[in-house]
Amino acid sequence: MDEATGPQSTFQRLKSVCAPLLGSSLLTPASIPVALRLLSQLGDILRQLQSSAQPLTTPTITYVFFPLSTILRRNELANIPDQVLEKVLDALSLLCDTWWWDMDIAAWEQVFMLCSAILGGIDRKGKGKDRDEETKVAATSCLWALLRERTPSEGPSEQPAEGRAHTIMQAYRNHAQSAKFLPVLGQTLNSLLLAAESPHLPLQRVSLKVLSAIIGQYLPDGFVPSVLPGIISSMSKIALGTKTSKGWANGDIVADALLVMQYAIVRAVGDDVCLREGAVRSLDDLDDLVANPHISATDHTPTAPYMTRRTESWLRGTASQLHIAMNAMSPLVKHPTPAALVGLADFSAKVLAATTLTMPQSRPLLLSFLLSLKVSPFERVAVLSDVSLRQVLRSHNSGRHHILQTLLQISRDNLAALPRLLLSHADSKVEHAAQILTSVCSLATPSTNSPSGITAISAGVGKLLGPHGHVEKWGWSLLSTLEFVNPPIVVTPTSAAQLLLESDPSAPHDVAFPELTMQLVNSRATYEALEQMFRALGATAGDECLFAVEWFVDIAMSGRSARAVAALWCACRLLEGAGHVSTGAPASSTLAANRTRRLEKFARDLARRIGETWDDEDADMEDQFPEVSIPRSDVHEDNVLVEHVTGLATIRAVPGETPSKPSKPAHAAIQPMLHRSLRLQLLSVTAGILESRFPPLLLHTLYPVLHGIISDSPFESASAMAALSAITNHASYATPANLLLSNFDYSLDAVSRRLSRRWLDVDATKVLAVLVRLVGRDVVQKAGDVVEECFDRLDEYHGYEVIVDGLIEVLQEVVRVIEEDEANRLVRDAPPGQDIPYPEDPALRVNDFAEWFNHRHDKEQETKPSRDSSYPREAWGKPEENAGAEDGGETPQDDGRAAESPSQALTHQIVSRSLYFLTHAAPQIRARILLMLANAVPVLPESALLPSVHQAWPFILNRLADAETFVVSAAAMLISALATHVGDFMYRRIWDDVWPRFREHLRRLEQADASSALSRRGSGAVGTESAYTHSHRLYRAIIQTLTAAARGVQAQDATNWEILVLFRRFLHNQVHDELQACARELYGALNKQNEDAVWLVMSATMGEVEGPMTFLREPRWDIKENVRLILQM
């Protein structure tokens, strides 16, 4: 729309304000309110025009500027109120945004000087009071409108803006750098530096913006060195927030202050300007070595006023002072706001790239800033730092080689400083050093913002870890401080891994390695940073790190000390990085990597070495026990040993006192358990590297893993289980059971070699047992070899109790695994009469009694006499043999019995060949055989089970008389299993053989409890307080066995009555809860056989029955609650 036409045009709107404003230009107490109102309206109109993108023409701008300038001319500047001056400056700022394109130099200069005078307080000299902060903000904003650089898109649309913005900017810059205007520029700079330190945030923010524009665009090159110290001093205070009460400066303020410093440093000591003036020389080629600088250091050519010449001596001093100032800004790395961190990253990158030659001592500092920010939790900061580092390292100038060397030197320095930092318990510093190394290594790999890495870093890190990296220097000092704490020892009957397998050993388990704890590191984040550092070093160096890994492994295999443990940990972490494998993550999450043949060969040799040296527990212990010279007894003998000692002289309190043996240093402690656990981690790493090519190595590595599972240490056992899980996943097996079954021969061969006369390992039998347990139900396919191996070794080592016990444990484990498979358990018919329900209707009970009473004297029909089938009358299998002989030929054996399954045949073989050990001298072996027989009962058919039980029955009865409680309990468990599954066969044996012995045990236990200090006290108390005493366990075994007999064996009325009477005391509420529960089970089973007898005994005991049964009353026993549960009252 045309500004001169149309209703409510722009010009008319401005005229309606400017005309009255001109009339009120002379400020008096009466006109000031009117002027303020009109100035506010003018500012609102200009802002609306600016937001609606309606440009003002030069005549319109001049028209608006006239009343504003009139106010400034007709009134003393010092007498203009702050509010009026603020409104005037706001209007000028809005006008200058557009006027900048057509403003003449004189007007530009006058407005600049006006704002500078107001900001510096020159306008009110002698008044004793500065302008308020809002007025200074308006003056500074007006300066920003005058000084900021425009882009071509901001120019007027009717005028061509290509190159025009640069031309106008250059004209203003030339005028500002003139000798006449330079003092004004300097005074303005000083005023802005003072305003930038104001606590008023808007003034501080806009002052820093104007400072960045003046320093970056308007100051002459020779003038910047003159004002550099003041700028750096002020900006350092602002960035560090020394005048703020909250500790940290605002993030935007820090970023703006760093930007001002960046402009000042780059323009004062940048490579380009210093090269032009000869303060520094560039050595890009051989000609530069003989070339003379353009300006000699001794050149005394006069310089212009206010200017400073850049010389070598000036540069050395200035660079040193700048380094001190930038080093003081190190705390900014921990600034909590991302804006400040982004500003620091940009500052470091720009200054580093521009001052490579002039400030070599600051390169490590600036690089450390960028490396620290690269691991920032703020993604924007981390990405910017990574991109900046890669850009600097990929630049084509000669300085990038210096930066790269500095970067690698930082890596060496931080690696060498780790031992000192660890000893000082400075977790934060250790974490910082580790993160610096990790950041350096990450530059060698591609990122989302860079398709390729910096190959020179890979070469440098590879050199550090290679043959020429002096690993024997920094590695040895590092090992002396990386001490690990032994995990607490927990004594348990079974290992943690075995407890894990109790649920389902064939199920897949993703088990993580247990966490280690460092002696000198308290923070978990620091420990993880160290782990990540070593992995990053290995991943960056690639195959070149194998030299360092081998060096660490050699140190580790030379002993079992804390230093050897630390060496294993370092080797494991480095190898994880080189192979791109992580022991802390499932195998499915491991990134696929192209692994070289050299790495795979190294992993193969390492795995074989670990397997072959697993049993070498007596390794060289020179580090653990240093030799001490012993004085000779005969001082007159020749060649007397002389020990030269340096240090403090030893002074003894008592002459002739024998000096005590010096204590071993902390690092000399032997840690075999941690050593084995870390070797298992190394095995899992080699499996991750070789993957599908690892199974052939199981011949050497399976035994160490299985040996670790049976360890008494939960830490080592969990580590072994995690190693087995990792190897299973890496080798592409579904479960550990599948892995072990597929390589069963390897495991069996390893165990067999350790059970020979040349090499006898008592743990080999435990390894075999856990192998059977891990394989699970599928062990039947391979168990024949295991059983033959066990019996061969039993024949060979029958005199060695420990070996025999271990082999019997293996056989017991085989039978237990077979028994736990539901498919192997036989379904037997219920004993006759056991499944007949007891009549519930009392009338039916009376009718049955009447029927019996009427026919009680009737003679029974002649029937074929039945014989007791509890023992054989002739040799088993004899009728079949005779029948075959009578026919004169061979006939197939068909006695009505089904053929044995492989599981039953194997169990039958184990049972038949193990019965002889029922009389072994070792009680634990006798107990194992009894428990093994109990596990075999549900599996074997009667044709295979009963002959063995019949043959061993006298020995089983003798075991009930053993002095060891666990043997008696095991025998009771066997009898209970037999009573449950072959009750008819056990009828006579239970009531004629077992019950009298149980009754004698009860009598003896009652007498022993009367004099035992562990017995329960009080009226009618029975048993002991603890559930772990011998008497308690015997009571429990006897009650459980009789319960099984009551359920599976035909009852005898007289014996049942005796049991009902004897076991009433265990229903007393003062008895141990476990025994009460067992007693309730017993009476519940008896209640199903003879409910009347149970009711009569219970009621008589509680005194509810009168007459001849009162002798059963026991008022000292409170059995009401248990009786209610039994009778379901």
Side-chain angles (χ1 to χ4, degrees), residues 967-1121:
V967 179
V968 179
S969 300
M973 290 181 64
L974 172 59
I975 296 171
S976 174
L978 291 170
T980 301
H981 295 278
V982 286
D984 289 344
F985 176 77
M986 295 297 294
Y987 175 72
R988 290 291 182 188
R989 289 172 171 80
I990 291 288
W991 306 127
D992 295 347
D993 298 335
V994 176
W995 168 239
R997 288 172 170 79
F998 280 177
R999 185 170 50 200
E1000 181 64 20
H1001 273 300
L1002 290 174
R1003 185 184 63 80
R1004 293 179 180 177
L1005 289 173
E1006 186 176 6
Q1007 293 177 355
D1009 287 347
S1011 58
S1012 174
L1014 299 176
S1015 299
R1016 291 176 176 263
R1017 303 304 176 192
S1019 176
V1022 179
T1024 58
E1025 295 285 351
S1026 173
Y1028 301 100
T1029 58
H1030 294 295
S1031 63
H1032 180 93
R1033 293 177 177 179
L1034 277 179
Y1035 281 139
R1036 181 182 59 194
I1038 291 172
I1039 296 174
Q1040 290 176 346
T1041 303
L1042 291 176
T1043 302
R1047 290 171 176 168
V1049 181
Q1050 184 178 355
Q1052 283 188 352
D1053 292 338
T1055 306
N1056 276 7
W1057 180 264
E1058 191 175 3
I1059 293 173
L1060 288 171
V1061 173
L1062 283 178
F1063 287 89
R1064 292 176 299 164
R1065 51 183 170 164
F1066 296 104
L1067 297 175
H1068 182 32
N1069 60 6
Q1070 296 299 320
V1071 178
H1072 195 282
D1073 293 340
E1074 186 179 11
L1075 293 183
Q1076 290 187 56
C1078 292
R1080 286 196 298 269
E1081 292 289 331
L1082 172 61
Y1083 279 91
L1086 294 173
N1087 190 46
K1088 293 182 179 180
Q1089 293 184 356
N1090 195 336
E1091 185 179 1
D1092 295 333
V1094 173
W1095 174 86
L1096 181 60
V1097 171
M1098 298 292 99
S1099 301
T1101 303
M1102 293 186 295
E1104 297 177 357
V1105 177
E1106 302 294 337
M1109 304 305 295
T1110 55
F1111 72 94
L1112 292 176
R1113 183 181 181 186
E1114 287 291 347
R1116 55 180 180 160
W1117 295 338
D1118 184 4
I1119 64 173
K1120 291 183 180 179
E1121 182 63 25

Side-chain angles (χ1 to χ4, degrees), residues 184-264:
V184 177
L185 195 61
Q187 180 61 41
T188 306
L189 180 65
N190 181 65
S191 302
L192 288 169
L193 290 175
L194 295 176
E197 298 183 19
S198 171
H200 191 62
L201 282 180
L203 177 59
Q204 192 177 31
R205 189 173 287 111
V206 71
S207 298
L208 291 171
K209 288 169 59 178
V210 176
L211 277 171
S212 63
I214 290 178
I215 297 172
Q217 299 290 338
Y218 290 91
L219 289 183
D221 288 340
F223 186 70
V224 177
S226 302
V227 296
L228 179 65
I231 296 174
I232 298 300
S233 177
S234 297
M235 294 303 106
S236 298
K237 295 176 184 177
I238 295 172
L240 294 174
T242 55
K243 294 185 178 181
T244 58
S245 58
K246 60 182 181 180
W248 291 107
N250 185 276
D252 295 333
I253 298 298
V254 174
D256 292 341
L258 291 173
L259 181 62
V260 174
M261 289 182 66
Q262 170 193 323
Y263 286 147

Side-chain angles (χ1 to χ4, degrees), residues 788-838:
E788 289 298 329
E789 182 71 24
C790 289
F791 282 112
D792 290 344
R793 294 298 183 265
L794 283 173
D795 293 340
E796 190 172 359
Y797 300 110
H798 61 274
Y800 297 91
E801 181 179 320
V802 177
I803 303 298
V804 173
D805 181 53
L807 293 171
I808 295 298
E809 182 184 3
V810 176
L811 296 175
Q812 180 188 0
E813 193 66 43
V814 173
V815 176
R816 181 186 302 165
V817 169
I818 295 175
E819 186 265 340
E820 287 177 351
D821 189 357
E822 293 291 339
N824 294 328
R825 296 185 180 183
L826 295 176
V827 179
R828 305 182 190 273
D829 297 332
Q834 294 292 326
D835 55 349
I836 299 177
Y838 202 83

Side-chain angles (χ1 to χ4, degrees), residues 516-527:
L516 293 167
T517 303
M518 284 187 176
Q519 180 73 34
L520 302 177
V521 174
N522 298 321
S523 171
R524 194 67 200 170
T526 305
Y527 176 81

Side-chain angles (χ1 to χ4, degrees), residues 374 379 382-391 394 439 441-454:
K374 192 175 181 299
E379 182 180 2
V383 170
L384 176 62
S385 302
D386 181 75
V387 172
S388 301
L389 280 169
R390 294 176 186 271
Q391 288 178 351
R394 285 201 177 96
S439 299
C441 294
S442 64
L443 294 173
T445 58
S447 65
T448 55
N449 302 299
S450 178
S452 61
I454 310 299

Side-chain angles (χ1 to χ4, degrees), residues 509-713:
H509 297 284
D510 287 332
V511 186
F513 281 93
E515 296 180 349
L516 293 167
T517 303
M518 284 187 176
Q519 180 73 34
L520 302 177
V521 174
N522 298 321
S523 171
R524 194 67 200 170
T526 305
Y527 176 81
E528 292 174 354
L530 288 172
E531 275 191 328
Q532 188 62 29
M533 178 196 75
F534 277 101
R535 291 194 186 104
L537 287 172
T540 304
D543 291 354
E544 297 301 323
C545 78
L546 297 182
F547 178 84
V549 174
E550 186 175 6
W551 185 84
F552 282 123
V553 171
D554 290 339
I555 296 296
M557 294 303 179
S558 63
R560 302 294 182 267
S561 65
R563 183 178 285 120
V565 171
L568 269 179
W569 184 83
C570 294
C572 188
R573 303 288 85 80
L574 286 174
L575 196 59
E576 282 180 3
H580 301 281
V581 181
S582 177
T583 56
S588 58
S589 65
T590 302
L591 295 177
N594 295 326
R595 302 180 177 98
T596 61
R597 290 186 177 181
R598 179 185 175 189
L599 178 61
E600 292 183 352
K601 182 180 183 300
F602 180 86
R604 192 177 297 108
D605 295 340
L606 179 59
R608 187 179 293 108
R609 181 178 181 183
I610 293 174
E612 292 174 351
T613 60
W614 181 260
D615 299 292
D616 298 343
E617 296 298 332
D618 299 328
D620 185 15
M621 297 296 178
E622 289 185 3
D623 292 339
Q624 291 78 1
F625 302 103
E627 295 183 359
V628 181
S629 60
I630 303 174
R632 300 176 68 92
S633 58
D634 188 358
V635 297
H636 300 289
E637 293 183 5
D638 296 333
N639 301 324
V640 176
L641 294 177
V642 179
E643 181 182 13
H644 298 277
V645 179
T646 61
L648 300 176
T650 303
I651 301 177
R652 299 186 179 91
V654 180
E657 180 186 5
T658 303
S660 59
K661 184 178 180 180
S663 60
K664 293 181 291 185
H667 67 270
I670 302 175
Q671 298 176 319
M673 183 265 297
L674 287 179
H675 198 275
R676 289 192 295 268
S677 300
L678 284 169
R679 278 187 284 171
L680 291 171
Q681 286 194 25
L682 263 181
L683 277 182
S684 65
V685 174
T686 58
I689 294 173
L690 296 174
E691 293 183 335
S692 60
R693 290 177 290 278
F694 187 78
L697 293 171
L698 292 174
L699 175 64
H700 308 280
T701 58
L702 261 186
Y703 185 84
V705 175
L706 296 176
H707 186 269
I709 293 178
I710 66 170
S711 173
D712 295 333
S713 167

